[in-house]
Amino acid sequence: MMTIKVGLLGLGTVGTGVVRIVEGHQEDLKRQTGTGLVIEKVLVQDLTKNRSIALDRGKLTNRPEDIISNPEIDVVIEVMGGIEPTKGFILQAIENGKHIVTANKDLMAMHGPEIMARAAEKGCDVFYEASVAGGIPIIRTLIEGFSSDRITKIMGIVNGTTNYILTKMSKEGADYGEVLREAQQLGYAEADPTSDVEGLDAARKMTILATLGFRTDVTLSDVSVKGISRVSKEDIAYGKRLGYEVKLLGIAERVDDQISVSVQPTMIKKSHPLASVNGVYNAVYVYGEAVGETMFYGPGAGEMPTATSIVADLVAVVKNHRLGVNGRTVNIAYNEKKLQTDEQITSKYYILLHVADKAGVLAKITQVFADNEVSLESVNQQPNPVNPMAEIIIITHQANQASMKRVLKVFDELEVVQEIKSVYRVEG
Ligand code: NAP
Ligand code: HSE
C-alpha cells in the first residue's frame, strides 16, 4: 500500500490534535483513502519543550527545510500561524511540489489569491477548511454545497474567544478581563488576543466566507470592523431586557450585485438561532435565494475540532492524488466586486444616550431622527440610578448607515446629549 508522508509546521494546540487524529484514526483513514498516512517531520521552535503527546523526538526539527525541501514529503500541514515566515515556507513548499493544508486565516485572508494561483500553476492543492469556524465544514459547504444557489446573506459567529467572553458576561455577569484570560488558558485565543477581541480575527474569516459565498474577491480592507472591548455588562443587561443578546457578528450581505461585509457587536433577537450559540461554539447562518435559511453550528476553536477539519482536508488531498486531479481548482471569485455605499447599507439600530433630565429633551432627540429620515420602533426613558440625568434607549426601524452617521454627528454636538453611550446594529 502506498504511503503519503506529511510534514507538520507547528506542534501547538492544533498541531497536537492533528497528530492525535492521524495516529488515532489510522485504520479509518486508510480505508477511506486506500493509503497509509505518516507524520514524517514536525517543525517547532523549541526542541526541548515538553509535549503532551508521545511523538518520536527524532521527528522534531527546528529547520524548516527539513520539511519544505524534503523530497520524501508529499503534503505540508501548516499550523504554526502568522504571516511571515509562514507565507515564505508555504510558497517554497509549493515550489517544491507539495500540497498544502492550513488553518491560517490571517494568511488566507491576506494572501490567499497569491498562494492559490501559485499552487494552481504547480498542480498543488491548497485546502484551508480549519481557517474558518474550526470544526464546522463551512468552506466546503459554500464552495460545493451551495454551488447551485445565489447566496445573499452570511451572518457568522466566527470567533470562539469573543463568543466565550460575551456568553460568560451575559450568563454569569463575569468580568471581561477575567474571562479573556480563561479563553487564553483554554487555547481558544490567538497568540495576541487583540485580534480576537478587536474583531480582526472575525474580519479575516468573513473575508474568506464572503469571497466564497459571493464568488468575488473580497479583501480585508473591504470589511468594516469593530470589536467587543467596549461592550459593557450594562449593554448586555439592557439588551436582554428588550429581548436581545449581544453577539460579535460578521455580516456579509448582497443586494442586487452589490455587497457589504462588516464585523461588529450586534444586538440579535433572542428568537434568532444565532442568539443561542454560546461559549466557544461558532455558527454560520447562510441565506440562499433558492434554499432559504440554513445554519451550521459547531465548535469554532480548540485542539480536536480544528484538527478534524485539517485531517479532512488531508484526506481530500489524498483522494485527489489517487484520482490524479491535484491542483485542478476553478477560480471561484469570478464576479466583479461592487461594494455598497453607506446609503445602501441598511439595518435597525439600538442607541443608548445619556441626556439632561429636563423638559423637552425627548422631543429634541426624536426630532434629530425625524430630520434625518430615521423612523423609530421604540423609545424608552429611565432615570439613571447614579447620576442626575436620564437614559434614553432607542430602537430604530431599518435605517441607512449614512443617515445614522448624520444623526450621531448631531448628537455629538447637541448640548442636551451628555454621552452617546452605545450604538449597536440590530438583527433578527
Ligand atoms: P500555537 O499553539 O501557538 O502553536 C504554534 C506552533 O508553531 C508551536 O508548536 C510553535 O513551536 C510553532 N511555531 C511558531 N512559530 C514558529 C517558527 N517561526 N518556527 C518554527 N515553529 C514555529 O498555535 P495554534 O493555536 O495551534 O494555532 C495554529 C494555527 O491554527 C494558527 O494559524 C491559528 O490561527 C489557527 N487556528 C487555531 C485554532 C485554535 O483553536 N487554536 C483554531 C483554528 C485555527 P513551539 O511549540 O516550539 O513553540
Ligand atoms: N482565536 C480563534 C477563535 C481561534 O477564538 O475563534 C479559531 O480560529
Side-chain angles (χ1 to χ4, degrees):
M1 185 184 278
M2 189 173 83
T3 298
I4 293 282
K5 293 191 175 163
V6 176
L8 195 56
L9 303 179
L11 188 61
T13 305
V14 183
T16 303
V18 170
V19 175
R20 284 193 217 280
I21 294 185
V22 169
E23 291 186 348
H25 299 185
Q26 192 59 225
E27 274 314 304
D28 268 334
L29 294 171
K30 244 184 224 166
R31 282 171 190 232
Q32 289 180 60
T33 59
T35 307
L37 296 173
V38 170
I39 308 273
E40 183 75 3
K41 277 273 171 210
V42 182
L43 179 73
V44 292
Q45 290 183 110
D46 180 356
L47 292 170
T48 62
K49 203 188 233 181
N50 279 333
R51 307 280 164 185
S52 63
I53 37 166
L55 185 78
D56 173 2
R57 286 263 156 189
K59 293 194 172 192
L60 293 185
T61 178
N62 56 9
R63 293 161 23 104
E65 58 275 21
D66 289 350
I67 293 175
I68 57 182
S69 305
N70 183 340
E72 296 271 293
I73 286 175
D74 307 290
V75 183
V76 171
I77 296 181
E78 184 276 305
V79 280
M80 55 184 267
I83 302 292
E84 286 297 353
T86 319
K87 181 184 166 205
F89 293 171
I90 285 182
L91 288 176
Q92 191 55 52
I94 290 171
E95 215 48 47
N96 295 334
K98 306 196 189 309
H99 308 294
I100 307 294
V101 173
T102 177
N104 194 328
K105 57 262 163 165
D106 310 20
L107 190 61
M108 291 312 290
M110 291 164 77
H111 302 286
E114 180 190 345
I115 291 170
M116 301 297 284
R118 198 69 201 109
E121 282 167 22
K122 298 293 292 186
C124 296
D125 283 334
V126 177
F127 288 127
Y128 49 102
E129 184 64 73
S131 66
V132 181
I136 309 173
I138 188 65
I139 289 184
R140 206 156 275 125
T141 300
L142 289 177
I143 296 175
E144 291 171 14
F146 287 123
S147 58
S148 57
D149 205 350
R150 188 171 188 280
I151 292 166
T152 53
K153 189 163 188 174
I154 302 172
M155 288 203 291
I157 294 177
V158 288
N159 182 270
T161 303
T162 46
N163 204 45
Y164 184 81
I165 294 171
L166 291 173
T167 303
K168 286 245 175 178
M169 285 172 77
S170 169
K171 300 228 175 294
E172 299 167 18
D175 174 70
Y176 171 86
E178 193 184 300
V179 196
L180 172 59
R181 274 190 296 282
E182 260 180 56
Q184 286 176 286
Q185 278 155 12
L186 289 164
Y188 304 148
E190 297 303 303
D192 174 6
T194 317
S195 65
D196 292 298
V197 295
E198 295 306 342
L200 200 56
D201 177 78
R204 288 167 178 150
K205 292 166 177 169
M206 288 308 294
T207 303
I208 295 171
L209 294 186
T211 295
L212 300 177
F214 300 149
R215 317 202 199 295
T216 190
D217 188 9
V218 178
T219 60
L220 193 55
S221 59
D222 298 327
V223 186
S224 78
V225 190
K226 192 172 157 198
I228 66 158
S229 57
R230 298 194 59 200
V231 174
S232 64
K233 287 188 205 173
E234 182 192 44
D235 288 331
I236 292 175
Y238 283 14
K240 268 188 175 172
R241 232 186 285 159
L242 294 169
Y244 297 97
E245 290 288 348
V246 177
K247 295 287 181 193
L248 184 72
L249 284 196
I251 302 175
E253 281 181 301
R254 168 154 70 174
V255 178
D256 299 325
D257 56 355
Q258 278 162 306
I259 64 160
S260 64
V261 189
S262 62
V263 169
Q264 70 233 280
T266 304
M267 295 261 178
I268 185 148
K269 258 269 184 269
K270 282 187 182 166
S271 54
H272 193 284
L274 282 170
S276 40
V277 174
N278 288 321
V280 72
Y281 277 85
N282 280 194
V284 184
Y285 167 99
V286 181
Y287 191 92
E289 280 180 357
V291 72
E293 289 184 294
T294 62
M295 197 167 99
F296 304 86
Y297 170 82
E303 179 183 317
M304 298 306 272
T306 310
T308 305
S309 289
I310 289 177
V311 181
D313 278 351
L314 175 61
V315 168
V317 170
V318 178
K319 285 181 174 169
N320 280 354
H321 182 70
R322 286 179 66 87
L323 295 170
V325 294
N326 289 120
R328 303 255 188 97
T329 49
V330 180
N331 173 25
I332 197 153
Y334 50 77
N335 286 323
E336 187 194 343
K337 181 170 66 185
K338 293 183 196 156
L339 296 174
Q340 288 183 325
T341 62
D342 273 359
E343 279 74 21
Q344 291 168 313
I345 299 171
T346 61
S347 78
K348 290 163 74 168
Y349 288 89
Y350 161 104
I351 301 126
L352 170 60
L353 300 174
H354 284 183
V355 299
D357 197 1
K358 59 185 186 193
V361 170
L362 195 53
K364 275 192 185 149
I365 300 287
T366 52
Q367 190 58 47
V368 176
F369 285 102
D371 291 347
N372 289 283
E373 292 175 4
V374 176
S375 165
L376 304 183
E377 182 182 287
S378 68
V379 181
N380 290 287
Q381 181 174 343
Q382 60 187 32
N384 184 279
V386 185
N387 299 317
M389 51 135 172
E391 293 183 334
I392 299 184
I393 301 164
I394 297 151
I395 307 266
T396 71
H397 283 299
Q398 290 287 335
N400 73 58
Q401 199 161 280
S403 300
M404 272 310 299
K405 282 185 180 169
R406 283 195 291 273
V407 166
L408 295 172
K409 190 161 185 304
V410 177
F411 286 160
D412 234 359
E413 288 155 11
L414 202 64
E415 187 226 322
V416 295
V417 176
Q418 292 177 356
E419 194 179 355
I420 304 169
K421 200 71 185 146
S422 15
V423 180
Y424 288 92
R425 183 173 167 142
V426 174
E427 282 289 333

